[in-house]
Amino acid sequence: MWYTTHMHTATALALPNIAFIKYWGDQDPCLRIPANGSLSMNLAGLYTRTRVTFATELPEDTLTVNEQAITDVGLERVSTLLDCVRELAGVRLFATVESYSNFPIGAGIASSASAFAALSLAASAAAGRQLTESELSRLARSGSGSACRSIPGGFVEWQAGSSDEDSYAFTFAPPEHWDLVDCIVIVNQAHKAVGSTAGHALALTSPLQPARVQDAPRRLDICRRAILQRDFQAFAEIIELDSNLMHSIMITSTPPLLYWQPATLAVMRAVQELRQTGIPAAYTIDAGPNVHVLTQSSSASQVIAHLARLDGVQQILTASPGGPAILVEAGC
Ligand code: DP6
């Protein structure tokens, strides 16, 4: 317990991640224990930087995201995670949380993943606790499921587990293992209408969800092996299947969730055409209209040039495999 008047502060940086085998639906929505395991890659170049300061004079927790004060459920979610850290570290102080992301947030680029990963690392360090990677991953998971995958670096697997203790993520190949490039094709920058948390809660209203979950271990094996063997064709087929399966759940939920826009479909078609001409390209889409197109570095400029010409494409961001969440500053 602290009885000093010091400020305790730390800043952490975490990258978003793109899931190749998706998390959709929970065994336990409170603890965010997922219905199935998932696989992802961290995205270098995109980041969230978060500074957490516990201080004696604060009357409550405060949150700014890209310099805008947040007071609604966003702050509640952050305070809930801070409560876990306070409990863990025996700290009774409120905190200011200042978060900055250098990419469009809430538009299916997993901003909650980098945000809660950076928050978990910064808050635990500011509270004077040095957590192990799996402890940090579990903490981040409690804030946003996919955030547990932004704690380790490179190519990451989140083992579903069945309790708080065994549901966390770990690296299965380092970033330099494969020179993939994620071309993030932005067709709409707007904040999505239905967020992932509400979406997960609807998953079981789709009669297709049990079949999707039951088949997940098979897809995980195929995808893990394709990445380890750098087999682009196998990788492309399995990530497109997995993304299509998740969107099948979404559109057959009650009420249905349809995230695609006409330009989303145009990009999907263009990617399949590119692959038919021998260019490595594969799509995957999260809970939003934007499309992540995976390719290899030698083909990236060709893929980008082709996709940039399509109607409705506003911007294309690129990211290569990235490292783990890191602490960039800590002290009193
Ligand atoms: C479609 O991790 O954003 O991106 O735990 O409610 O914050 P919460 O959900 P979130 O869900 C991610 C859904 C997804 C697929 C994925 O990243 O695996």
Side-chain angles (χ1 to χ4, degrees), residues 17-19 21-24 32 38 77 110 112-113 141 143-147 149 158 192 196-198 200 246 250 285-287:
N17 65 75
I18 178 61
I21 301 296
K22 310 287 190 188
Y23 154 44
W24 198 248
R32 291 187 152 84
S38 51
R77 245 171 114 168
S112 67
R141 188 204 75 230
S144 175
S146 56
R149 298 188 310 240
W158 174 9
K192 60 199 173 198
S196 308
T197 307
H200 292 298
M246 182 183 72
M250 292 164 164
I285 304 161
D286 280 344

Side-chain angles (χ1 to χ4, degrees), residues 4-316:
T4 64
T5 53
H6 281 115
M7 251 177 33
H8 300 266
T9 187
T11 304
L13 199 136
L15 314 182
N17 65 75
I18 178 61
F20 299 141
I21 301 296
K22 310 287 190 188
Y23 154 44
W24 198 248
D26 291 299
Q27 295 171 54
D28 180 334
C30 293
L31 290 173
R32 291 187 152 84
I33 311 297
N36 60 277
S38 51
L39 287 189
S40 61
M41 174 182 109
N42 282 0
L43 301 176
L46 311 183
Y47 64 85
T48 298
R49 177 190 289 264
T50 299
R51 180 191 187 87
V52 175
T53 306
F54 289 101
T56 42
E57 71 275 13
L58 297 172
E60 58 188 2
D61 293 328
T62 60
L63 168 67
T64 58
V65 174
N66 293 353
E67 288 171 7
Q68 302 258 321
I70 308 286
T71 52
D72 58 7
V73 321
L75 174 60
E76 267 169 48
R77 245 171 114 168
V78 164
S79 278
T80 304
L81 192 134
L82 290 172
D83 287 342
C84 293
V85 173
R86 282 187 275 255
E87 169 93 31
L88 208 70
V91 170
R92 293 224 179 115
L93 307 177
F94 288 114
T96 57
V97 176
E98 298 151 276
S99 186
Y100 171 79
S101 294
N102 72 342
F103 58 94
I105 51 183
I109 317 180
S111 57
S112 67
S114 52
F116 280 95
L119 176 67
S120 301
L121 181 52
S124 53
R129 290 298 303 259
Q130 218 186 335
L131 302 183
T132 64
E133 185 185 86
S134 54
E135 286 168 339
L136 272 172
S137 179
R138 287 165 47 205
L139 177 63
R141 188 204 75 230
S142 73
S144 175
S146 56
C148 76
R149 298 188 310 240
S150 282
I151 294 291
F155 297 87
V156 171
E157 176 158 3
W158 174 9
Q159 63 178 27
S162 56
S163 68
D164 175 50
E165 285 72 33
D166 64 359
S167 187
Y168 58 86
F170 51 84
T171 298
F172 70 92
E176 56 281 4
H177 168 72
W178 200 8
D179 63 341
L180 289 181
V181 177
D182 183 8
C183 308
I184 307 164
V185 184
I186 310 285
V187 301
N188 189 335
Q189 299 256 4
H191 212 279
K192 60 199 173 198
V194 180
S196 308
T197 307
H200 292 298
L202 294 179
L204 266 179
T205 65
S206 165
L208 307 181
Q209 171 74 346
R212 178 189 158 276
V213 170
Q214 202 192 7
D215 183 58
R218 184 187 72 91
R219 297 193 306 281
L220 285 162
D221 281 348
I222 293 173
C223 188
R224 199 187 304 107
R225 197 168 330 123
I227 292 171
L228 290 173
Q229 296 176 350
R230 302 185 196 92
D231 178 345
F232 196 91
Q233 184 62 27
F235 171 73
E237 284 169 18
I238 199 68
I239 73 168
E240 290 185 359
L241 171 65
D242 191 83
S243 175
N244 292 344
L245 279 169
M246 182 183 72
H247 286 271
S248 307
I249 305 306
M250 292 164 164
I251 61 179
T252 54
S253 292
T254 306
L257 297 175
L258 179 53
Y259 288 109
W260 299 354
Q261 291 180 359
T264 311
L265 200 57
V267 175
M268 293 161 75
R269 287 232 161 90
V271 165
Q272 288 181 330
E273 282 158 18
L274 277 171
R275 205 155 74 248
Q276 273 155 19
T277 65
I279 297 169
Y283 67 76
T284 185
I285 304 161
D286 280 344
N290 301 316
V291 187
H292 293 253
V293 179
L294 280 302
T295 184
Q296 290 183 260
S297 58
S298 53
S299 302
S301 52
Q302 219 180 341
V303 168
I304 292 165
H306 188 81
L307 299 176
R309 284 197 293 266
L310 300 174
D311 276 352
V313 170
Q314 297 176 354
Q315 193 189 355
I316 302 179

